[in-house]
């Protein structure tokens, strides 16, 4: 095997592929990255039995072949290479990498022990890459991180016709984002619970522009194929990169009833100014210290700290309708909600000080439903 490839393209593809490699592999070969010089270019792949990644890079192929090398080591080498073309060829049980005056000799792993990568499921449709990446960024922070509750560590994708809804929760908050997508079958009705970490890693590396193909395993025959949970696997394809992931085998919670049907009070706040004020006031708050917000007509006062502790307060002009309201949040949870809002101002809808608060985007059209909603439980304060 022998090829020559652009350094930046090679380093970028290696770094992306390495994201699927386990930190503590169950078998030594799972720490490997397969490097294949094929007639259509250079192919890189990684697999840990849960997530697979595959990338293709244009390269000058002098001799086809494939080799398995330590993926993390290759990624570290690739990002430190000088700005020169990269050459790699194999010699017996070694892979020799050259870039400018830099030379590296890598030991190879037994390719025959490497597992076969899963095939992509059947295509379900496509979604604009930029909008999909933004939607994942809005929702993924609300997913849980407790692996003993797998259902809460995922992002739920619900496909209904040309509507795609992403949702995540850790029990204390729920983030929901609705968006348009292009299904292969307009009658498709399916859902998938995808590990949040996997989805976030894929979304943050998406190139700007273009579309992402979504491939979903469904029940194989008849009408049941239109109403499955997408059991088994989901895949995403950008053309030069693709990834597959096993789905979390669990039903997602019915989150819609948790959103209040009506609000007793509503504030419309400037997102950027509110987020900056929260960060400043929260400087005196530790993990157990709540951020207190007192809403009255035309103003909100943010406070943190009390008694002998450090204290901070700041007032901000807002539009407010309803009786005065005083609520308290964990600062990080409240900031995650504001960070998901894609409009300049956000709605905060209240019922009672001890009941969930809904942070949402302000729709462009009056009377329309917001595309992003974030429900967060307030903290009880004396």
């Amino acid at each position: 095997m022998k090829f020559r490839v652009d350094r930046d393209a090679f380093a970028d593809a290696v770094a992306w592929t390495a994201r699927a490699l386990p930190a503590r592999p169950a078998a030594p070969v799972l720490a490997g990255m397969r490097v294949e010089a094929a007639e259509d270019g250079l192919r890189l792949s990684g697999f840990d039995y849960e997530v697979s990644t595959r990338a293709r890079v244009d390269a000058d192929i002098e001799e086809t072949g494939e080799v398995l090398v330590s993926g993390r080591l290759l990624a570290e080498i690739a990002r430190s290479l000088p700005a020169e073309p990269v050459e790699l060829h194999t010699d017996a049980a070694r892979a020799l990498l050259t870039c400018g005056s830099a030379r590296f000799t890598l030991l190879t792993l037994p390719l025959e022990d490497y597992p076969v990568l899963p095939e992509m499921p059947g295509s379900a449709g496509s979604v604009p890459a930029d909008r999909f990446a933004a939607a994942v960024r809005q929702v993924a922070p609300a997913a849980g991180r407790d692996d003993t509750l797998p259902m809460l560590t995922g992002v739920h994708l619900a496909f209904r016709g040309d509507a795609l809804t992403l949702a995540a929760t850790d029990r204390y908050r729920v983030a929901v984002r609705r968006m348009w997508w292009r299904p292969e079958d307009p009658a498709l009705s399916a859902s998938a619970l995808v590990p949040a970490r996997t989805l976030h890693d894929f979304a943050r590396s998406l190139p700007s522009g273009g579309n992402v193909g979504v491939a979903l395993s469904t029940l194989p025959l008849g009408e049941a194929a239109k109403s499955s949970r997408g059991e088994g696997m989901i895949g995403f394809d950008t053309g030069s990169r693709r990834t597959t992931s096993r789905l979390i085998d669990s039903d997602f919670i019915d989150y819609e009833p948790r959103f209040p049907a009506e609000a007793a009070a509503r504030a419309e706040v400037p997102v950027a100014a509110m987020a900056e004020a929260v960060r400043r006031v929260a400087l005196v708050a530790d993990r157990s210290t709540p951020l207190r917000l007192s809403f009255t007509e035309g103003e909100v006062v943010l406070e943190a700290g009390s008694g002998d502790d450090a204290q901070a307060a700041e007032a901000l002009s807002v539009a407010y309708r309803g009786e005065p309201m005083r609520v308290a949040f964990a600062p990080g949870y409240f900031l995650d909600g504001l960070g998901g809002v894609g409009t300049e101002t956000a709605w905060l809808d209240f019922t009672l000080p001890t009941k969930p608060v809904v942070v949402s985007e302000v729709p462009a059209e009056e009377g329309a439903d917001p595309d992003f909603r974030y429900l967060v439980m307030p903290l009880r304060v004396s």
Side-chain angles (χ1 to χ4, degrees):
M1 181 182 76
K2 188 175 183 179
F3 64 83
R4 182 183 177 92
V5 63
D6 176 77
R7 181 264 182 198
D8 290 342
F10 178 71
D12 189 42
V14 169
W16 184 82
T17 306
R19 288 177 177 170
L21 301 179
R24 298 178 180 84
V29 291
L30 295 181
M33 182 181 300
R34 189 172 68 183
V35 181
E36 180 183 1
E39 293 182 356
D40 63 344
L42 178 64
R43 300 175 185 172
L44 306 168
S45 55
F47 185 38
D48 69 350
Y49 289 117
E50 297 290 330
V51 179
S52 75
T53 51
R54 282 169 274 202
R56 195 194 70 81
V57 183
D58 290 330
D60 296 327
I61 308 298
E62 294 188 29
E63 183 180 340
T64 61
E66 56 186 330
V67 67
L68 188 67
V69 297
S70 170
R72 295 193 181 278
L73 177 58
L74 183 61
E76 291 177 3
I77 291 172
R79 69 167 171 261
S80 64
L81 292 174
E84 300 284 347
V86 178
E87 295 184 1
L88 188 147
H89 70 276
T90 53
D91 178 15
R94 301 179 300 170
L96 308 177
L97 187 150
T98 304
C99 182
S101 60
R103 305 281 191 277
F104 295 90
T105 300
L106 304 177
L107 297 179
T108 62
L109 299 170
L111 193 59
E112 62 274 12
D113 295 340
Y114 195 67
V116 177
L117 270 66
E119 294 294 329
M120 286 285 283
S123 175
S126 63
V127 61
D130 291 341
R131 295 190 64 195
F132 184 68
V136 173
R137 286 195 299 270
Q138 289 175 300
V139 170
R145 292 165 179 79
D146 184 357
D147 291 333
T148 63
L149 297 170
M151 178 196 73
L152 302 181
T153 64
V155 174
H156 185 256
L157 307 183
F159 305 88
R160 301 289 183 270
D162 63 359
L164 168 59
T165 303
L166 296 83
T169 181
D170 61 3
R171 291 183 298 180
Y172 305 106
R173 53 191 173 160
V174 182
V176 181
R177 173 68 158 89
R178 184 188 61 190
M179 63 184 298
W180 173 89
W181 85 306
R182 182 183 293 110
E184 294 281 349
D185 179 1
L188 176 69
S189 177
S191 62
L193 189 54
V194 187
R197 189 178 308 162
T198 301
L199 192 62
H200 180 260
D201 284 347
F202 173 74
R204 72 179 181 178
S205 65
L206 282 174
S208 59
N211 294 320
V212 177
V214 180
L216 186 65
S217 297
T218 54
L219 297 177
L221 298 172
E223 291 299 317
K226 297 181 180 180
S227 59
S228 82
R229 286 194 292 115
E231 294 186 19
M233 186 179 297
I234 193 168
F236 301 98
D237 188 354
T238 65
S240 61
R241 295 178 183 178
R242 59 172 54 182
T243 187
T244 65
S245 173
R246 290 175 64 96
L247 300 178
I248 298 172
D249 187 15
S250 177
D251 291 319
F252 198 63
I253 67 167
D254 185 11
Y255 57 82
E256 280 296 344
R258 301 191 178 200
F259 284 85
E262 295 182 357
R266 169 175 286 177
E268 184 170 342
V269 304
V271 173
M274 174 66 89
E276 290 171 2
V278 170
R279 292 189 186 98
R280 281 191 292 269
V281 173
L283 289 173
V284 303
D286 57 27
R287 284 181 173 269
S288 60
T289 304
L291 171 75
R292 303 183 299 275
L293 297 93
S294 300
F295 289 88
T296 55
E297 185 177 353
E299 184 182 68
V300 59
V301 177
L302 297 84
E303 300 172 280
S306 62
D308 296 332
D309 298 328
Q311 300 177 43
E314 183 170 343
L316 187 67
S317 296
V318 299
Y320 183 73
R321 172 178 53 82
E323 294 295 320
M325 185 75 63
R326 189 169 186 261
V327 294
F329 300 109
Y333 277 20
F334 187 47
L335 282 172
D336 282 344
L338 291 175
V341 174
T343 51
E344 292 185 1
T345 60
W347 282 341
L348 274 62
D349 288 331
F350 309 90
T351 52
L352 294 171
T354 58
K355 295 296 184 181
V357 176
V358 179
V359 181
S360 62
E361 293 179 339
V362 178
E365 298 180 7
E366 187 174 352
D369 294 328
D371 289 332
F372 172 73
R373 296 173 296 153
Y374 180 90
L375 179 146
V376 58
M377 289 295 299
L379 300 175
R380 294 181 180 272
V381 293
S382 57

